[in-house]
Amino acid sequence: MNVLVINTGSSSLKYQLFDMNSQAVLAGGVMERIGETKGILTHKEFSTGREVKTKKTPVIQNHQEAMHLMAKLITQKIDAIGHRVVQGGENFKTATPINGDVKNAIQANNPLAPLHNPPNLIGIQLAEDLFPGKPQVAVFDTNFHQTIPEKAYLYALPYEYYTDYKIRKYGFHGTSHKYVANKTAALMGKKPDQVNLITLHLGNGCSISAIKKGECQDTSMGMTPLAGVMMGTRTGNLDPAIFGYLMDNTGMTQAQIDDVLNKKSGLKGICGLNDLRDIHERAAQGDKLAKLAVEMFAYQIKKYIGAYAAVLGHVDGLVFTAGVGENDEIVRAKALADMSVFGIEIDLAKNDIRSSEPHTIHKEGSRLQVWVVPTNEELQIATETCQVLTK
Ligand code: AMP
Protein backbone atom coordinates (compact mmCIF):
# COMPACT_ATOMS: atom_id res chain seq x y z
CA MET A 1 0.00 0.00 0.00
CA ASN A 2 1.31 3.49 -0.90
CA VAL A 3 0.38 6.05 1.77
CA LEU A 4 0.64 9.78 1.19
CA VAL A 5 1.23 11.70 4.44
CA ILE A 6 0.06 15.30 4.37
CA ASN A 7 0.90 18.01 6.90
CA THR A 8 -0.85 21.30 6.10
CA GLY A 9 0.24 24.42 7.98
CA SER A 10 -1.20 27.91 7.75
CA SER A 11 1.23 28.82 4.94
CA SER A 12 2.91 25.51 4.21
CA LEU A 13 2.31 22.03 2.85
CA LYS A 14 4.62 19.10 3.59
CA TYR A 15 4.06 15.66 2.11
CA GLN A 16 5.73 12.27 1.80
CA LEU A 17 4.63 9.20 -0.11
CA PHE A 18 5.58 5.86 1.51
CA ASP A 19 5.58 2.37 0.08
CA MET A 20 4.43 0.59 3.22
CA ASN A 21 5.69 -2.81 2.09
CA SER A 22 9.28 -1.58 2.25
CA GLN A 23 8.62 1.57 4.35
CA ALA A 24 10.65 3.43 1.69
CA VAL A 25 9.90 7.06 0.87
CA LEU A 26 8.97 7.23 -2.82
CA ALA A 27 8.56 10.99 -3.08
CA GLY A 28 8.29 14.00 -0.84
CA GLY A 29 8.19 17.73 -0.85
CA VAL A 30 7.69 21.00 0.95
CA MET A 31 5.87 24.12 -0.16
CA GLU A 32 6.29 27.23 1.94
CA ARG A 33 5.06 30.80 1.91
CA ILE A 34 1.72 29.79 0.42
CA GLY A 35 -0.30 32.95 -0.22
CA GLU A 36 2.78 35.19 -0.08
CA THR A 37 4.48 36.97 -2.96
CA LYS A 38 7.28 34.44 -3.35
CA GLY A 39 6.66 30.79 -2.63
CA ILE A 40 9.24 28.07 -2.08
CA LEU A 41 8.83 24.59 -3.49
CA THR A 42 11.03 21.52 -3.16
CA HIS A 43 9.95 18.14 -4.47
CA LYS A 44 12.03 14.99 -4.65
CA GLU A 45 11.29 11.64 -6.27
CA PHE A 46 13.49 9.20 -4.39
CA SER A 47 13.20 6.23 -6.76
CA THR A 48 14.61 8.18 -9.73
CA GLY A 49 16.48 10.94 -7.90
CA ARG A 50 14.43 13.51 -9.89
CA GLU A 51 14.40 16.74 -7.95
CA VAL A 52 12.31 19.81 -8.55
CA LYS A 53 13.66 22.75 -6.62
CA THR A 54 12.57 26.31 -7.03
CA LYS A 55 13.75 28.81 -4.49
CA LYS A 56 11.42 31.54 -5.70
CA THR A 57 8.50 30.20 -7.67
CA PRO A 58 5.83 32.52 -8.90
CA VAL A 59 3.21 32.81 -6.20
CA ILE A 60 1.53 29.70 -4.81
CA GLN A 61 -1.81 31.45 -4.38
CA ASN A 62 -3.46 29.18 -1.84
CA HIS A 63 -3.62 25.67 -0.43
CA GLN A 64 -5.74 24.54 -3.36
CA GLU A 65 -3.02 25.49 -5.81
CA ALA A 66 -0.39 23.90 -3.56
CA MET A 67 -2.29 20.59 -3.41
CA HIS A 68 -2.83 20.54 -7.19
CA LEU A 69 0.89 21.15 -7.66
CA MET A 70 1.66 18.27 -5.29
CA ALA A 71 -0.75 15.93 -7.15
CA LYS A 72 0.93 16.83 -10.44
CA LEU A 73 4.45 16.29 -9.09
CA ILE A 74 3.71 12.85 -7.61
CA THR A 75 3.87 10.32 -10.41
CA GLN A 76 3.42 7.13 -8.34
CA LYS A 77 0.06 5.68 -7.37
CA ILE A 78 -1.52 6.74 -4.09
CA ASP A 79 -3.67 4.22 -2.20
CA ALA A 80 -4.48 6.11 0.98
CA ILE A 81 -3.82 9.42 2.68
CA GLY A 82 -2.79 10.07 6.27
CA HIS A 83 -3.22 13.59 7.64
CA ARG A 84 -1.36 15.09 10.55
CA VAL A 85 -3.93 16.91 12.68
CA VAL A 86 -2.65 18.83 15.69
CA GLN A 87 -5.55 18.93 18.14
CA GLY A 88 -8.04 16.10 18.57
CA GLY A 89 -9.17 17.20 22.02
CA GLU A 90 -10.64 14.30 23.99
CA ASN A 91 -12.46 12.96 20.94
CA PHE A 92 -9.68 10.86 19.46
CA LYS A 93 -7.40 8.33 21.11
CA THR A 94 -6.14 6.58 17.98
CA ALA A 95 -5.73 7.17 14.24
CA THR A 96 -9.23 7.58 12.79
CA PRO A 97 -10.69 7.15 9.26
CA ILE A 98 -12.12 10.51 8.23
CA ASN A 99 -15.85 11.01 7.71
CA GLY A 100 -18.25 13.93 8.23
CA ASP A 101 -18.39 13.43 12.02
CA VAL A 102 -14.61 13.41 12.28
CA LYS A 103 -14.37 16.65 10.28
CA ASN A 104 -16.99 18.25 12.52
CA ALA A 105 -15.05 17.17 15.61
CA ILE A 106 -11.81 18.61 14.21
CA GLN A 107 -13.63 21.87 13.56
CA ALA A 108 -15.11 21.84 17.06
CA ASN A 109 -11.55 21.68 18.41
CA ASN A 110 -10.48 24.77 16.43
CA PRO A 111 -10.57 27.07 19.48
CA LEU A 112 -7.96 24.85 21.16
CA ALA A 113 -5.57 25.08 18.17
CA PRO A 114 -6.60 28.14 16.15
CA LEU A 115 -3.36 28.23 14.13
CA HIS A 116 -3.23 24.54 13.29
CA ASN A 117 -6.61 22.79 13.08
CA PRO A 118 -8.16 25.10 10.43
CA PRO A 119 -5.35 24.54 7.86
CA ASN A 120 -5.32 20.81 8.75
CA LEU A 121 -9.02 20.67 7.89
CA ILE A 122 -8.47 22.57 4.64
CA GLY A 123 -5.84 19.95 3.72
CA ILE A 124 -8.35 17.15 4.39
CA GLN A 125 -11.09 18.76 2.33
CA LEU A 126 -8.78 19.46 -0.61
CA ALA A 127 -7.38 15.93 -0.51
CA GLU A 128 -10.94 14.53 -0.60
CA ASP A 129 -11.65 16.60 -3.73
CA LEU A 130 -8.35 15.76 -5.36
CA PHE A 131 -8.27 12.02 -4.61
CA PRO A 132 -11.94 11.00 -4.59
CA GLY A 133 -12.60 7.53 -3.21
CA LYS A 134 -9.17 7.18 -1.59
CA PRO A 135 -9.39 6.43 2.14
CA GLN A 136 -8.26 9.28 4.38
CA VAL A 137 -7.11 8.94 7.98
CA ALA A 138 -6.47 11.57 10.66
CA VAL A 139 -3.56 11.03 13.03
CA PHE A 140 -3.71 13.54 15.88
CA ASP A 141 -0.66 14.91 17.71
CA THR A 142 -2.71 14.59 20.88
CA ASN A 143 -3.64 10.86 20.45
CA PHE A 144 -0.68 9.42 22.30
CA HIS A 145 -1.24 11.64 25.35
CA GLN A 146 -4.84 10.52 25.89
CA THR A 147 -3.64 7.86 28.36
CA ILE A 148 -2.42 10.58 30.76
CA PRO A 149 -4.46 10.19 33.97
CA GLU A 150 -6.83 12.88 35.23
CA LYS A 151 -4.59 13.77 38.19
CA ALA A 152 -1.86 14.72 35.70
CA TYR A 153 -3.87 16.40 32.96
CA LEU A 154 -6.05 18.65 35.15
CA TYR A 155 -4.99 22.14 36.16
CA ALA A 156 -5.87 23.23 39.71
CA LEU A 157 -8.48 25.68 38.45
CA PRO A 158 -12.19 25.57 39.33
CA TYR A 159 -13.26 22.14 38.02
CA GLU A 160 -16.00 23.59 35.82
CA TYR A 161 -13.35 25.31 33.67
CA TYR A 162 -12.46 21.80 32.56
CA THR A 163 -16.05 20.73 31.90
CA ASP A 164 -17.19 24.05 30.39
CA TYR A 165 -14.09 25.24 28.54
CA LYS A 166 -12.11 22.00 28.05
CA ILE A 167 -9.14 23.50 29.89
CA ARG A 168 -6.71 20.65 30.56
CA LYS A 169 -3.32 19.38 29.45
CA TYR A 170 -3.49 17.81 25.97
CA GLY A 171 0.20 17.54 25.09
CA PHE A 172 1.75 17.69 21.63
CA HIS A 173 4.42 15.94 19.51
CA GLY A 174 2.56 12.72 20.43
CA THR A 175 3.35 11.04 17.10
CA SER A 176 7.06 11.68 17.64
CA HIS A 177 7.05 10.44 21.25
CA LYS A 178 5.22 7.28 20.18
CA TYR A 179 7.56 6.66 17.26
CA VAL A 180 10.79 6.98 19.24
CA ALA A 181 9.39 5.07 22.23
CA ASN A 182 8.37 2.09 20.06
CA LYS A 183 11.60 2.23 18.09
CA THR A 184 13.74 2.37 21.24
CA ALA A 185 11.87 -0.51 22.85
CA ALA A 186 12.57 -2.57 19.73
CA LEU A 187 16.24 -1.53 19.77
CA MET A 188 16.40 -2.67 23.42
CA GLY A 189 15.01 -6.02 22.32
CA LYS A 190 11.69 -5.44 24.11
CA LYS A 191 8.05 -4.80 23.30
CA PRO A 192 6.73 -1.27 24.01
CA ASP A 193 4.75 -2.63 27.00
CA GLN A 194 7.88 -4.06 28.59
CA VAL A 195 9.77 -0.80 29.18
CA ASN A 196 9.43 2.56 30.96
CA LEU A 197 10.96 5.45 29.05
CA ILE A 198 11.41 9.19 29.28
CA THR A 199 11.35 10.59 25.75
CA LEU A 200 12.80 14.04 25.08
CA HIS A 201 11.65 15.73 21.85
CA LEU A 202 13.96 18.75 21.79
CA GLY A 203 13.68 20.88 18.65
CA ASN A 204 12.48 24.40 18.10
CA GLY A 205 9.52 23.23 20.17
CA CYS A 206 10.38 20.96 23.10
CA SER A 207 8.37 18.38 24.99
CA ILE A 208 9.31 15.60 27.38
CA SER A 209 7.10 12.58 28.12
CA ALA A 210 6.96 9.91 30.80
CA ILE A 211 5.94 6.60 29.20
CA LYS A 212 5.06 3.53 31.27
CA LYS A 213 4.81 0.22 29.41
CA GLY A 214 3.99 2.02 26.14
CA GLU A 215 1.40 4.40 27.65
CA CYS A 216 2.01 8.07 28.21
CA GLN A 217 1.65 9.08 31.89
CA ASP A 218 2.58 12.75 31.63
CA THR A 219 4.04 15.24 29.19
CA SER A 220 5.57 18.69 29.59
CA MET A 221 3.48 20.66 27.10
CA GLY A 222 0.03 21.61 28.29
CA MET A 223 -3.25 22.88 26.93
CA THR A 224 -1.05 24.67 24.37
CA PRO A 225 2.49 24.08 23.12
CA LEU A 226 3.74 27.01 25.24
CA ALA A 227 4.15 25.01 28.44
CA GLY A 228 7.01 22.85 29.73
CA VAL A 229 10.71 23.46 29.21
CA MET A 230 11.87 26.73 27.65
CA MET A 231 12.21 26.45 23.88
CA GLY A 232 13.76 28.31 20.93
CA THR A 233 11.40 31.27 21.26
CA ARG A 234 8.74 30.05 23.74
CA THR A 235 8.85 30.60 27.49
CA GLY A 236 7.91 27.16 28.75
CA ASN A 237 6.41 27.19 32.24
CA LEU A 238 5.87 30.58 33.89
CA ASP A 239 4.30 31.79 37.09
CA PRO A 240 0.79 32.49 35.68
CA ALA A 241 0.61 35.77 37.62
CA ILE A 242 3.32 37.20 35.34
CA PHE A 243 0.77 37.60 32.54
CA GLY A 244 -1.47 39.98 34.50
CA TYR A 245 1.55 41.75 35.98
CA LEU A 246 2.86 42.46 32.47
CA MET A 247 -0.54 43.71 31.36
CA ASP A 248 -0.79 46.05 34.34
CA ASN A 249 2.76 47.35 34.23
CA THR A 250 3.87 47.51 30.60
CA GLY A 251 0.80 48.71 28.75
CA MET A 252 1.09 45.73 26.41
CA THR A 253 -2.14 44.20 25.16
CA GLN A 254 -2.97 40.53 25.59
CA ALA A 255 -2.03 39.90 21.95
CA GLN A 256 1.31 41.64 22.38
CA ILE A 257 2.13 39.62 25.50
CA ASP A 258 1.10 36.41 23.71
CA ASP A 259 3.51 37.35 20.95
CA VAL A 260 6.34 37.89 23.45
CA LEU A 261 5.68 34.58 25.22
CA ASN A 262 5.55 32.60 21.97
CA LYS A 263 8.03 34.34 19.71
CA LYS A 264 10.43 36.49 21.72
CA SER A 265 11.16 34.38 24.79
CA GLY A 266 12.91 31.08 25.51
CA LEU A 267 16.54 30.90 24.35
CA LYS A 268 15.95 33.93 22.14
CA GLY A 269 14.57 35.96 25.03
CA ILE A 270 17.65 35.31 27.15
CA CYS A 271 20.42 35.73 24.56
CA GLY A 272 18.84 37.05 21.36
CA LEU A 273 19.34 33.82 19.39
CA ASN A 274 17.12 30.76 19.11
CA ASP A 275 19.26 28.33 17.12
CA LEU A 276 21.56 26.41 19.44
CA ARG A 277 24.27 26.15 16.78
CA ASP A 278 24.55 29.96 16.83
CA ILE A 279 24.21 30.09 20.61
CA HIS A 280 27.11 27.67 21.15
CA GLU A 281 29.26 29.70 18.77
CA ARG A 282 28.51 32.88 20.74
CA ALA A 283 29.07 31.11 24.05
CA ALA A 284 32.47 29.89 22.83
CA GLN A 285 33.35 33.53 22.16
CA GLY A 286 32.60 34.28 25.82
CA ASP A 287 29.08 35.70 25.50
CA LYS A 288 27.64 35.46 29.03
CA LEU A 289 23.97 35.48 28.03
CA ALA A 290 24.51 32.76 25.42
CA LYS A 291 26.13 30.63 28.14
CA LEU A 292 23.29 31.40 30.52
CA ALA A 293 20.64 30.42 27.94
CA VAL A 294 22.28 26.98 27.52
CA GLU A 295 22.61 26.52 31.30
CA MET A 296 18.93 27.40 31.84
CA PHE A 297 17.78 25.08 29.06
CA ALA A 298 19.83 22.11 30.32
CA TYR A 299 18.71 22.76 33.92
CA GLN A 300 15.03 22.72 32.96
CA ILE A 301 15.47 19.47 31.01
CA LYS A 302 17.26 17.91 34.00
CA LYS A 303 14.37 18.86 36.31
CA TYR A 304 11.85 17.13 34.05
CA ILE A 305 13.96 13.98 33.94
CA GLY A 306 14.00 13.92 37.74
CA ALA A 307 10.28 14.60 37.98
CA TYR A 308 9.38 11.94 35.41
CA ALA A 309 11.68 9.38 37.03
CA ALA A 310 9.55 9.94 40.15
CA VAL A 311 6.34 9.61 38.11
CA LEU A 312 7.46 6.32 36.55
CA GLY A 313 9.05 4.80 39.66
CA HIS A 314 11.32 2.68 37.51
CA VAL A 315 12.96 3.93 34.30
CA ASP A 316 14.68 1.71 31.72
CA GLY A 317 15.84 4.40 29.34
CA LEU A 318 15.97 7.98 28.13
CA VAL A 319 15.48 8.83 24.46
CA PHE A 320 16.69 12.07 22.87
CA THR A 321 15.17 13.12 19.55
CA ALA A 322 14.48 16.07 17.16
CA GLY A 323 16.93 18.81 16.02
CA VAL A 324 18.54 19.53 19.38
CA GLY A 325 18.04 16.09 20.94
CA GLU A 326 19.64 14.32 17.98
CA ASN A 327 22.49 16.76 17.33
CA ASP A 328 23.42 18.74 20.40
CA GLU A 329 25.93 16.87 22.53
CA ILE A 330 26.53 19.93 24.75
CA VAL A 331 22.90 20.19 25.87
CA ARG A 332 22.68 16.40 26.40
CA ALA A 333 25.90 16.34 28.46
CA LYS A 334 24.82 19.27 30.65
CA ALA A 335 21.28 17.95 31.19
CA LEU A 336 22.59 14.50 32.16
CA ALA A 337 25.55 15.59 34.29
CA ASP A 338 25.60 14.43 37.93
CA MET A 339 22.57 12.18 37.59
CA SER A 340 24.15 8.97 38.87
CA VAL A 341 21.62 9.07 41.72
CA PHE A 342 19.04 8.22 39.03
CA GLY A 343 21.26 5.51 37.52
CA ILE A 344 22.19 7.73 34.56
CA GLU A 345 25.85 7.68 33.53
CA ILE A 346 26.74 8.94 30.10
CA ASP A 347 29.88 8.22 28.11
CA LEU A 348 31.11 11.60 26.92
CA ALA A 349 33.05 10.12 23.99
CA LYS A 350 29.95 8.27 22.75
CA ASN A 351 27.88 11.40 23.33
CA ASP A 352 30.18 13.33 20.97
CA ILE A 353 29.59 10.93 18.07
CA ARG A 354 27.25 12.32 15.39
CA SER A 355 25.18 9.73 13.57
CA SER A 356 21.92 9.67 11.69
CA GLU A 357 21.38 6.14 13.00
CA PRO A 358 19.94 5.39 16.47
CA HIS A 359 22.75 4.93 18.99
CA THR A 360 23.39 4.77 22.73
CA ILE A 361 25.43 7.30 24.70
CA HIS A 362 25.47 5.69 28.16
CA LYS A 363 28.46 4.13 29.90
CA GLU A 364 28.71 0.41 30.20
CA GLY A 365 27.20 -0.33 33.59
CA SER A 366 24.80 2.64 33.55
CA ARG A 367 21.52 1.38 35.06
CA LEU A 368 19.53 3.41 32.53
CA GLN A 369 20.16 3.19 28.82
CA VAL A 370 20.40 6.56 27.08
CA TRP A 371 19.49 6.59 23.39
CA VAL A 372 19.63 9.13 20.58
CA VAL A 373 16.95 8.14 18.07
CA PRO A 374 16.04 10.22 14.99
CA THR A 375 12.31 10.85 14.94
CA ASN A 376 10.11 10.09 11.93
CA GLU A 377 6.61 11.44 12.46
CA GLU A 378 5.67 10.95 8.80
CA LEU A 379 6.52 7.23 8.89
CA GLN A 380 4.53 6.88 12.13
CA ILE A 381 1.50 8.56 10.49
CA ALA A 382 1.86 6.33 7.42
CA THR A 383 2.15 3.23 9.64
CA GLU A 384 -0.94 4.12 11.69
CA THR A 385 -2.88 4.98 8.51
CA CYS A 386 -2.01 1.59 7.06
CA GLN A 387 -2.86 -0.20 10.34
CA VAL A 388 -6.28 1.42 10.73
CA LEU A 389 -7.21 0.67 7.10
CA THR A 390 -6.11 -2.96 7.11
CA LYS A 391 -7.57 -3.79 10.54
P1 AMP B 1 13.53 20.84 14.86
O1 AMP B 1 12.43 21.74 15.37
O2 AMP B 1 13.44 19.45 15.36
O3 AMP B 1 13.71 20.93 13.38
O4 AMP B 1 14.89 21.43 15.50
C1 AMP B 1 15.42 22.67 15.10
C2 AMP B 1 16.49 23.11 16.08
O5 AMP B 1 17.45 22.06 16.26
C3 AMP B 1 17.34 24.28 15.59
O6 AMP B 1 16.74 25.50 15.90
C4 AMP B 1 18.63 24.11 16.35
O7 AMP B 1 18.54 24.77 17.59
C5 AMP B 1 18.70 22.63 16.59
N1 AMP B 1 19.73 21.97 15.77
C6 AMP B 1 19.60 21.49 14.54
N2 AMP B 1 20.78 20.95 14.12
C7 AMP B 1 21.64 21.12 15.12
C8 AMP B 1 23.00 20.82 15.32
N3 AMP B 1 23.71 20.20 14.36
N4 AMP B 1 23.58 21.15 16.49
C9 AMP B 1 22.86 21.77 17.46
N5 AMP B 1 21.56 22.08 17.33
C10 AMP B 1 20.96 21.77 16.18
Side-chain angles (χ1 to χ4, degrees), residues 173 201-205 232 267 274-280 321-329 354 375 377:
H173 296 141
H201 178 112
L202 307 175
N204 245 327
L267 296 165
N274 63 287
D275 190 309
L276 274 154
R277 288 164 288 198
D278 302 333
I279 296 172
H280 292 315
T321 196
V324 180
E326 291 167 30
N327 296 300
D328 197 322
E329 66 282 356
R354 286 272 168 96
T375 193
E377 289 163 282

